Amino acid sequence: MIQRIRENLEDVRARIARAEEASGAAAGSVTLVAVTKTRSMEEIEAALACGVTDIGENRVQEAQEKVPRLVRPVRRHLIGHLQRNKAKFVPGLFDLVQSVDSERLALALDECAAQNGARLTVLMQVNTSAEQSKSGVEPEGADRLLEYIATRPNLELRGLMTIGPLTDSVARIAASFRQLRAMFERYRSNAGSAWRMDILSMGMSSDYEIAIAEGANMVRVGTAIFGPRY
């Protein structure tokens, strides 16, 4: 198993390096988040042994079962939709919440962080795919939500996240990522803003090379590392 994961990681890292070079990004500037949803502890520890530094979980309950069993240090990302009633479990469990998509969720996270004497690092998730099945604030509501998150004293806003459309059309996928990149650059250029805009999380196993070409500096890859889920 570890050999398979090592070989898959070598392939993913090589593809990321080529995409970085093709896009003009600095070598090593893209952070690889290994998506460990439904993966066994043995698979996760094998990936960490191969140098993975960041893992992404979709569900709080699954992370609660896994995190205490980790034997290596790793940065933990919440990348799935978060229900407000689970916000109380986030401080101490995750290092980065990538899926803040509403004012009510931002408020819940802020209050839970305050109760735990913590400060949470977050990304705002935007739905640039125009698919109702996807989470994320609609682009027309992003400015308002961004400004609201920035007012929460216990949240540190670091960037944006999106999930590409479910399609074989490279043009549609690229357009979705390009839209988020434009928003990212606009927010980043806002001098004196109350946020630090340095993380652009786009791309999964099927489209991370497209995402890097469109400016992603963080990609979330699961199947290409661990293989299909059964």
Side-chain angles (χ1 to χ4, degrees):
M1 177 184 64
I2 191 170
Q3 181 61 27
R4 169 177 55 82
I5 290 174
R6 178 180 290 112
E7 290 173 355
N8 288 346
L9 272 168
E10 288 175 354
D11 179 65
V12 169
R13 286 168 173 153
R15 289 174 178 269
I16 288 174
R18 288 195 294 270
E20 287 173 334
E21 182 178 9
S23 68
S29 61
V30 175
T31 298
L32 172 62
V33 178
V35 178
T36 51
K37 170 187 174 183
T38 74
R39 303 299 177 174
S40 68
M41 291 305 301
E42 290 76 16
E43 289 176 298
I44 296 170
E45 290 297 343
L48 300 186
C50 295
V52 164
T53 59
D54 295 72
I55 61 172
E57 284 286 335
N58 284 59
R59 298 184 179 90
V60 167
Q61 185 174 356
E62 188 174 344
Q64 287 177 306
E65 295 171 356
K66 292 176 177 177
V67 167
R69 298 166 61 193
L70 293 168
V71 299
R72 299 171 189 264
V74 63
R75 287 187 293 271
R76 304 176 301 273
H77 301 240
L78 177 60
I79 60 176
H81 178 68
L82 176 64
Q83 296 176 324
R84 294 193 312 281
N85 63 355
K86 299 291 179 64
K88 61 187 176 183
F89 301 116
V90 169
L93 188 62
F94 295 103
D95 300 298
L96 175 62
V97 179
Q98 297 204 20
S99 50
V100 177
D101 59 2
S102 71
E103 292 184 10
R104 296 174 71 186
L105 177 57
L107 177 60
L109 286 170
D110 181 64
E111 291 176 340
C112 293
Q115 292 166 7
N116 286 271
R119 184 170 170 82
L120 293 176
T121 304
V122 302
L123 306 183
M124 181 175 71
Q125 182 176 357
V126 185
N127 184 348
T128 59
S129 69
E131 294 176 343
Q132 292 185 352
S133 60
K134 298 285 195 304
S135 297
V137 62
E138 297 301 320
E140 56 269 22
D143 288 3
R144 175 176 173 175
L145 178 57
L146 185 93
E147 291 170 1
Y148 181 82
I149 296 171
T151 68
R152 307 318 308 171
N154 302 290
L155 302 184
E156 181 183 7
L157 179 59
R158 292 282 301 276
L160 308 178
M161 184 267 263
T162 198
I163 301 172
L166 184 60
T167 177
D168 293 327
S169 170
V170 172
R172 278 191 58 201
I173 296 169
S176 171
F177 293 151
R178 195 175 305 123
Q179 182 179 12
L180 195 73
R181 169 70 181 274
M183 296 171 66
F184 177 79
E185 295 295 348
R186 177 164 60 86
Y187 295 143
R188 187 161 64 170
S189 66
N190 189 340
S193 60
W195 50 78
R196 179 182 172 192
M197 195 63 44
D198 62 351
I199 300 175
L200 185 57
S201 177
M202 309 189 297
M204 300 190 294
S205 287
S206 62
D207 55 18
Y208 66 91
E209 290 163 293
I210 302 171
I212 295 170
E214 297 299 335
N217 59 18
M218 182 176 284
V219 294
R220 312 175 305 274
V221 180
T223 302
I225 295 172
F226 298 105
R229 292 187 178 90
Y230 297 103

